Amino acid sequence: MSDGPRALLRSAIDAAFASVDRGVERSAVDEGFLATLGIAGWQIGNSASVLAEEAGRPGLPSTHIENACASGGFALRAGAQAVAAGRDLVLVAGVEKMTDAPSARRRYWLGVSGDTEWERLAGLTFAGVYGLIAARHAAEFGTPPEALAEVAVKNHAHAAKNPNAQFRTPISRDEWARSPRVADPLGLLDCCPVTDGAAAVLLAGEDVARHYTDTPVILAGLGAGSDYLALQERASMTSLAATRTAAAEAFRGAPFDRGAIQLVEAHDCFTIAELVALEDLGFAPPGGAAALTLEGATRLGGRLPVNPDGGLKAKGHPIGATGVSQVHEIFQQLRSAAGGRQVAGAERALAQNVGGSGATATVTLFARG
Amino acid sequence: MTRRLVAGATYRPRWLAGGVPVEGPDEDAFTLAVAAAERLGTTESGRTATIDRLELVGEFPPAIDRMLLEALGLESAEVHRHGPGVEGFAHALNDVGRSPLAPEGAGAVITVDVASARTEGAGPSGAVGVALLFADGPGAELLGHATRSHPPERPPVAAEWIRAAHRAHPTANSSTTGRLGVIARAAPPVLLAEWSRIFPAVEPVVVPWLDPGTGALPSSRPALALRTFLERTPPGDALWLAAIQSDRTEFLAIRGEGPVVWADPVPSLSRPTPADGPFPSASASDLLRVSEGAYVARPRYVENLPSRWRFVADRCAGCGTTGFPARGRCRSCGRSDGVAPIALPREGLTVLAATTIHPGAQPTEFDPLTAAIGPYSVVIAAWPDGPKVTLQVADAPAGTARVGDRIGTELRRLYAMEGDWRYGRKAVVTPGAVPGASAAPT
């Protein structure tokens, strides 16, 4: 039998503690945030206490953060704000156990974070919403299907180098083209999978962090934004205003600009989402991400590697864990510990985490400490 | 003032079974009634009339009164229900044509036949909705209604039959000119011979109950026959409709005083149903489907009906922005005072994006629909002044709707949940299928 949500959470938290160079007592943790959607009904309410229990730190003041697929990014933000408010050591973890439920129930739950009153009643789940985004993107910019294929092929190739990835087998463009249709123009290989997973990170102020390690990763910018829940109410269908708002806030406080970013963890729940993300983050003009992608710039070895861990597409998308997992990847990359998928010389990185189809989003900037 | 039949409209589903129109998987008596009434609203008199009573003929669900008033935006109209068939139709016409009404009021008769509800009779049965508007103005005047019972499966006695015709039209005599439409499985020649002796200037014409083109339509057949005969009857002539059933005859007498305007018919797509039979009715297990997680609770569904069924939006008096759906706050300037509801048009939207949902990608509420028709399309479409709406596409093969298409909309079933059907508007892409329905303050 596969691990349940408690076991997943426990193993991620244990790994986070074990990764502290000079070791850390669990009693030093003084605040906790748990990101989870509670897919299929697993402990929807009050799950923060599970974090304290599985951290081996019963009694820890803990809060459950839920912003759909952006829960992890917002939990990280809450953790950073707690540190800024005076906490010494904050545990931020995310978990999702998605394969427990039968497929019909899972399908039901995959739509709970979309707009239920209009999009769902029209017969849409997220695949359908992103299908509409992709269709509109193609109508406005002539985005070729090959660009979607390249995102899928690239991220599967990256995941093959990641021992923590769900899919470690590369795919070809032919396989992408032959995959069953889901929500036109998106097929099965344009969609992120159903994933079990957990991730955990420890946050501390810089002076406290230096006590534990000589090579911390610095949170250099923190941004968040939101937008109308339903696509039909947004000004644009090809751009996520929440991402743009979050990126503007993150860079406003950062000591470097977009040009200094060397790798991106983008929220590629569907292939089109990675293209839209690159445009909203300012790495390509509107409609320009397809060209950037097709020229190979976003591959490992390219000038701006995107999702070196395989992304949501191939590493997997355990909803509550995803935003924290992006931070874990960046932590590895900026400490030159990413093994075969290491981005050479990576010193500055960006993570973008999106809730649903863009109703919420965080953008976080990181620098080698 | 005299209430006359001034306008009419017919809605026929676009699906065929055995060559006869039948309701689609998302249509029922309610949606057919709304479709016919909305088309009636596209005629000049339909746009201006204040309907204060609705006479329903057919088999309807128990909550039909409130549902129809909401769908048609009629807050204070009375709803009267009549049984299916020609008796129901005759009584409905009698009630709306001769009852006292509010000074400016108008009445509408809506007849509906649903193929899947037919239990009697042989041969194919069809589905149709017909709406007739009675208002002050030139049109066709109802002179009277009479009925005559006779032993089951035996023809009426000719003299009795003629007496009933006189009851319906007391001033008729041997010099009266006009037509008699006889709706019957078989009209006994003796009746027609007697008729021609009494009313030599009134030509009898027999209309079969079962029209091969439209199927057996017990409630709507007389309304459809009425239209046909009115079109052939000069002003001032009398028109009788006599519907001979197994044990009774209903007589209606009408006189054309002016033109009756009919809304444009819906062009048929001639789309056979997958099984070439009516779509199966919802099963008990569909109706009893219970939410497992995210869903729109009944009170929230009801709260949204003005926007969902009639496209009611917010119009801000401060900055002029139109926001859909109505939520009582301006999307642009944030004000909640001075925001008034306005109904956006039901047609003339432009498709901005389209996707096709393949089996497996639908929310589980739509599993029965997917099982019936396979993939379906969903679009986001925009009104000319900006607001957008997400709509499932009805009646067309998945993939028909394309970016840039102009669409209309129809009220349809969405899915069943916790004991009742949820309804909402869907897009229809057939060019010219949907008549122009203009914006009106609510």
Side-chain angles (χ1 to χ4, degrees):
Chain A
M1 198 187 309
S2 64
D3 284 349
R6 281 177 178 271
L8 291 168
L9 196 55
R10 192 158 56 236
S11 76
I13 293 170
D14 285 351
F17 279 111
S19 73
V20 176
D21 295 338
R22 287 195 277 273
V24 59
E25 291 298 319
R26 290 175 187 239
S27 58
V29 176
D30 53 5
E31 187 85 39
F33 293 94
L34 176 66
T36 185
L37 185 60
I39 277 280
W42 175 76
Q43 204 57 52
I44 303 171
N46 243 344
S47 49
S49 69
V50 178
L51 175 71
E53 291 173 29
E54 299 307 330
R57 176 70 174 81
L60 178 71
S62 301
T63 306
H64 171 202
I65 301 272
E66 191 282 295
N67 267 1
C69 318
S71 300
F74 278 89
L76 183 82
R77 177 180 174 85
Q81 288 167 338
V83 169
R87 291 300 198 187
D88 280 335
L89 191 61
V90 176
L91 172 65
V92 175
V95 65
E96 213 69 59
K97 179 68 187 180
M98 301 178 70
T99 60
D100 274 0
S103 71
R105 179 173 279 264
R106 201 161 57 220
R107 199 147 46 86
Y108 207 111
W109 270 83
L110 285 174
V112 305
S113 308
D115 170 70
T116 51
E117 291 182 330
W118 292 91
E119 289 175 350
R120 194 180 175 104
L121 258 71
L124 292 178
T125 55
F126 277 122
V129 175
Y130 276 95
L132 288 169
I133 292 174
R136 186 67 202 165
H137 206 273
E140 284 186 19
F141 303 115
T143 309
E146 292 74 23
L148 302 179
E150 175 56 21
V151 171
V153 170
K154 166 187 74 85
N155 287 351
H156 276 267
H158 290 179
K161 302 172 192 289
N162 181 357
N164 281 327
Q166 182 172 3
F167 296 126
R168 303 204 57 202
T169 311
I171 61 164
S172 67
R173 280 202 194 177
D174 276 351
E175 287 171 286
W176 171 88
R178 284 198 309 268
S179 71
R181 297 290 86 202
V182 174
D184 296 333
L186 305 178
L188 192 61
L189 286 177
D190 289 293
C191 307
C192 65
V194 165
T195 311
D196 297 339
V201 296
L202 288 161
L203 304 181
E206 189 163 3
D207 49 340
V208 176
R210 296 282 176 200
H211 175 73
Y212 294 114
T213 176
D214 294 330
T215 53
V217 167
I218 307 291
L219 268 176
L222 210 57
S226 73
D227 199 354
Y228 288 100
L229 193 51
L231 208 52
Q232 68 183 29
E233 295 200 51
R234 299 185 193 163
S236 168
M237 294 173 59
T238 55
S239 164
L240 304 188
T243 297
R244 290 179 178 267
T245 304
E249 186 193 4
F251 280 110
R252 205 157 45 233
F256 50 84
D257 202 1
R258 285 167 179 78
I261 298 294
Q262 293 159 299
L263 79 103
V264 173
E265 281 285 296
H267 194 93
D268 59 330
C269 48
F270 297 89
T271 48
I272 182 65
E274 182 169 311
L275 301 181
V276 171
L278 291 174
E279 294 165 11
D280 287 334
L281 293 168
F283 296 115
L292 190 72
T293 300
L294 287 169
E295 77 188 39
T298 58
R299 285 182 169 244
L300 271 171
R303 68 175 189 274
L304 183 68
V306 176
N307 290 323
D309 59 353
L312 284 61
K313 178 71 207 70
K315 178 186 65 181
H317 182 24
I319 296 172
T322 288
V324 184
S325 155
Q326 292 177 323
V327 180
H328 171 257
E329 173 67 10
I330 287 173
F331 184 77
Q332 303 285 84
Q333 290 281 354
L334 297 192
R335 283 160 51 101
S336 300
R341 62 185 193 283
Q342 180 65 45
V343 176
E347 294 191 2
R348 284 168 300 278
L350 178 151
Q352 176 233 18
N353 193 198
V354 175
S357 60
T360 52
T362 61
V363 171
T364 314
L365 307 176
F366 303 86
R368 179 185 285 187
Chain B
M1 66 186 277
T2 306
R3 210 88 32 204
R4 295 196 179 93
L5 171 61
V6 295
T10 303
Y11 172 77
R12 265 184 235 291
R14 298 181 181 85
W15 299 83
L16 298 176
V20 170
V22 293
E23 72 273 16
D26 54 0
E27 293 181 290
D28 59 18
F30 172 52
T31 66
L32 293 175
V34 171
E38 286 181 349
R39 279 165 178 74
L40 189 62
T42 65
T43 63
E44 179 59 31
S45 47
R47 264 193 292 275
T48 54
T50 306
I51 292 173
D52 60 19
R53 62 189 292 157
L54 285 178
E55 309 287 338
L56 306 183
V57 184
E59 291 178 47
F60 290 97
I64 189 68
D65 298 22
R66 293 301 316 160
M67 289 160 62
L68 266 179
L69 294 179
E70 177 62 57
L72 303 178
L74 304 170
E75 279 178 22
S76 58
E78 283 183 29
V79 182
H80 297 179
R81 278 180 271 177
H82 304 272
V86 66
E87 295 106 300
F89 179 73
H91 285 105
L93 240 59
N94 193 54
D95 284 1
V96 81
R98 304 209 299 183
S99 301
L101 295 169
E104 301 302 321
V109 173
I110 303 177
T111 73
V112 165
D113 288 284
V114 176
S116 61
R118 295 271 294 125
T119 52
E120 56 170 297
S125 60
V128 69
V130 181
L132 305 174
L133 180 67
F134 286 78
D136 194 21
E141 184 173 343
L142 179 67
L143 300 172
H145 162 230
T147 184
R148 196 57 93 220
S149 301
H150 41 81
E153 307 306 339
R154 292 198 12 216
V157 175
E160 288 272 311
W161 207 66
I162 298 295
R163 257 200 295 281
H166 271 299
R167 283 272 304 279
H169 188 350
T171 62
N173 56 41
S174 59
S175 62
T176 301
T177 57
R179 276 194 171 76
L180 165 71
V182 183
I183 308 173
R185 291 198 167 78
V190 61
L191 294 182
L192 303 185
E194 179 68 1
W195 180 277
S196 294
R197 196 176 68 78
I198 304 293
F199 301 114
V202 177
E203 179 198 358
V205 181
V206 177
V207 183
W209 263 110
L210 186 61
D211 173 348
T214 53
L217 302 164
S219 298
S220 305
R221 194 80 191 87
L224 294 172
L226 186 63
R227 173 181 184 174
T228 307
F229 281 109
L230 278 172
E231 284 173 350
R232 296 178 191 161
T233 306
D237 272 13
L239 168 64
W240 279 268
L241 270 189
I244 305 177
Q245 297 171 279
S246 69
D247 63 351
R248 63 198 289 122
T249 300
E250 301 281 345
F251 271 100
L252 286 166
I254 290 154
R255 186 171 53 229
E257 305 281 355
V260 178
V261 178
W262 291 85
D264 294 334
V266 181
S268 172
L269 290 182
S270 300
R271 265 205 93 185
T273 69
D276 202 33
F279 288 95
S281 299
S283 68
S285 61
D286 287 341
L287 276 167
L288 292 177
R289 187 174 284 268
V290 170
S291 163
E292 296 171 340
Y295 85 122
V296 178
R298 187 171 166 74
R300 298 286 73 72
Y301 163 74
V302 170
E303 175 187 48
N304 283 334
L305 290 184
S307 291
R308 198 175 299 291
W309 289 2
R310 288 185 286 117
F311 288 151
V312 172
D314 290 327
R315 175 66 58 84
C316 178
C319 70
T321 300
T322 304
F324 179 85
R327 293 214 175 96
R329 180 181 296 284
C330 177
R331 263 79 163 176
S332 179
C333 68
R335 286 169 52 147
S336 55
D337 59 321
V339 172
I342 178 177
L344 298 173
R346 297 190 300 263
E347 57 84 50
L349 294 86
T350 303
V351 174
L352 297 182
T355 185
T356 291
I357 306 300
H358 294 267
Q362 76 279 9
T364 47
E365 304 92 297
F366 291 91
D367 286 357
L369 178 73
T370 304
I373 63 167
Y376 57 81
S377 289
V378 178
V379 299
I380 289 188
W383 281 279
D385 55 347
K388 302 188 280 286
V389 62
T390 313
L391 298 166
Q392 198 175 101
V393 179
D395 291 354
T400 302
R402 294 178 177 280
V403 173
D405 283 353
R406 297 262 287 178
I407 56 159
T409 63
E410 306 266 15
L411 190 69
R412 293 295 171 89
R413 276 180 175 174
L414 300 177
Y415 55 79
M417 179 67 68
E418 292 162 358
D420 43 39
W421 283 98
R422 303 289 173 86
Y423 297 86
R425 300 197 80 84
K426 295 187 182 181
V428 285
V429 288
T430 320
V434 175
S438 59
T442 58

